[in-house]
């Protein structure tokens, strides 16, 4: 196991609602990345937080927002949910941020279904 | 969309046969990583390659990084049923080391 924990494991929401997903990073890691994985696809990068600052962002709209806390845990917030937001949301922790050592340790993910 | 292309999408093999998946990018990659995701699981890091032309081996797995740092491959010798899963390459694009994942190759091993 990686030591990265995510909650909840499953979630069902309706279109237009808001959701918050949580992630606790592996001990000693200061960077958290969030990925969205649709069925049959590779993980798509949403954003990364390094020492509480956003360190990079993928091609996702502003209704996807995040936060990293002083203990390096993190939240992913999605507003105005759409049907296409249904996916597995993966959190990954790593050490040192974008410094050439981006070995990712993934949590088990949160499976979000939007009805 | 994905800027790291991976082929094939699926590969069926008989146990004992070899397997190869290929990863390509139109731009130079800072590095290339490989991950394995078992059905219902999450991606697990396998290896990272950084240098042009680098080759690394892990038991039956051989990883290569192209000379131009635009392509990579993973080769499994004599597949076993435990090799079943989806193999993803993930490269750092545009000078970034943040991994951009390919679509993955799903390996199905028939006993």
């Amino acid at each position: 196991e990686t030591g990265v924990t995510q909650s909840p494991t499953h979630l069902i929401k309706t279109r237009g609602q808001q959701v918050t997903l949580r992630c606790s990073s592996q001990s000693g890691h200061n960077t958290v990345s969030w990925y969205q994985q649709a069925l049959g696809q590779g993980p798509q990068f949403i954003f990364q937080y390094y020492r509480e600052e956003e360190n990079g962002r993928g091609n996702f709209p502003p209704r996807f927002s995040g936060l990293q806390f002083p203990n390096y845990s993190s939240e992913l917030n999605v507003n105005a949910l759409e049907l296409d937001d249904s996916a597995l949301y993966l959190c990954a922790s790593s050490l040192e941020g974008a410094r050439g050592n981006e070995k990712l340790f993934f949590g088990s993910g949160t499976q979000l279904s939007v009805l | 969309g994905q800027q790291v292309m991976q082929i094939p999408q699926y590969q069926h093999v008989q146990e004992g046969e070899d397997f190869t998946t290929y990863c390509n990018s139109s731009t130079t990659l800072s590095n290339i990583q490989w991950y394995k995701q078992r059905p219902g699981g999450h991606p697990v890091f396998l290896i990272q390659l950084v240098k042009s032309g680098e080759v690394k081996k892990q038991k039956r797995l051989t990883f290569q990084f192209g000379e131009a740092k635009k392509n990579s491959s993973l080769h499994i010798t004599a597949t076993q049923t435990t090799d079943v899963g989806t193999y993803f390459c993930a490269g750092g694009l545009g000078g970034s080391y943040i991994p951009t994942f390919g679509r993955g190759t799903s390996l199905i091993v028939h006993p």
Side-chain angles (χ1 to χ4, degrees):
Chain A
E1 292 302 318
T2 62
V4 180
T5 58
Q6 291 187 243
S7 62
T9 54
H10 296 83
L11 202 52
I12 300 175
K13 291 284 188 177
T14 56
R15 195 170 49 182
Q17 284 189 310
Q18 177 266 344
V19 68
T20 297
L21 310 182
R22 296 179 174 83
C23 173
S24 294
S25 59
Q26 181 165 313
S27 177
H29 284 184
N30 54 15
T31 303
V32 172
S33 304
W34 286 92
Y35 285 81
Q36 180 196 66
Q37 187 177 24
L39 193 62
Q41 302 290 322
Q44 289 215 1
F45 176 66
I46 303 175
F47 43 57
Q48 180 184 84
Y49 281 85
Y50 171 59
R51 293 185 175 179
E52 303 177 60
E53 299 278 336
E54 188 178 285
N55 189 46
R57 188 179 181 93
N59 189 26
F60 280 81
R63 60 189 184 83
F64 285 76
S65 64
L67 203 57
Q68 188 180 31
F69 300 100
N71 66 355
Y72 301 129
S73 65
S74 178
E75 287 183 355
L76 164 65
N77 300 289
V78 187
N79 294 323
L81 284 166
E82 300 178 359
L83 298 179
D84 285 349
D85 295 334
S86 296
L88 179 67
Y89 288 84
L90 293 162
C91 166
S93 75
S94 57
L95 187 58
E96 296 183 75
R99 301 292 187 269
N101 188 25
E102 289 289 345
K103 174 180 174 180
L104 300 176
F105 293 82
F106 283 91
S108 298
T110 294
Q111 185 66 53
L112 173 65
S113 298
V114 182
L115 306 178
Chain B
Q2 306 284 3
Q3 295 175 276
V4 174
M5 307 302 294
Q6 199 173 345
I7 57 169
Q9 188 173 351
Y10 299 96
Q11 184 76 58
H12 289 256
V13 299
Q14 289 295 130
E15 189 173 16
E17 291 183 337
D18 292 356
F19 160 78
T20 304
T21 173
Y22 301 91
C23 184
N24 290 282
S25 171
S26 58
T27 60
T28 302
L29 301 169
S30 304
N31 62 356
I32 192 82
Q33 297 178 341
W34 286 89
Y35 292 80
K36 177 183 178 181
Q37 185 173 24
R38 293 183 187 274
H42 56 272
V44 175
F45 176 86
L46 294 176
I47 209 159
Q48 174 170 277
L49 306 172
V50 179
K51 298 176 183 176
S52 168
E54 191 170 9
V55 178
K56 288 188 177 180
K57 292 190 176 184
Q58 287 180 350
K59 297 183 181 178
R60 295 179 293 105
L61 279 61
T62 301
F63 304 84
Q64 294 187 332
F65 200 10
E67 293 290 341
K69 298 182 72 172
K70 290 184 177 183
N71 58 74
S72 181
S73 65
L74 158 60
H75 180 82
I76 302 178
T77 303
T79 54
Q80 299 174 359
T81 54
T82 53
D83 295 326
V84 165
T86 301
Y87 292 84
F88 292 100
C89 63
L93 296 171
S96 169
Y97 286 92
I98 296 175
T100 296
F101 281 74
R103 189 173 179 177
T105 297
S106 293
L107 172 62
I108 300 99
V109 180
H110 299 278

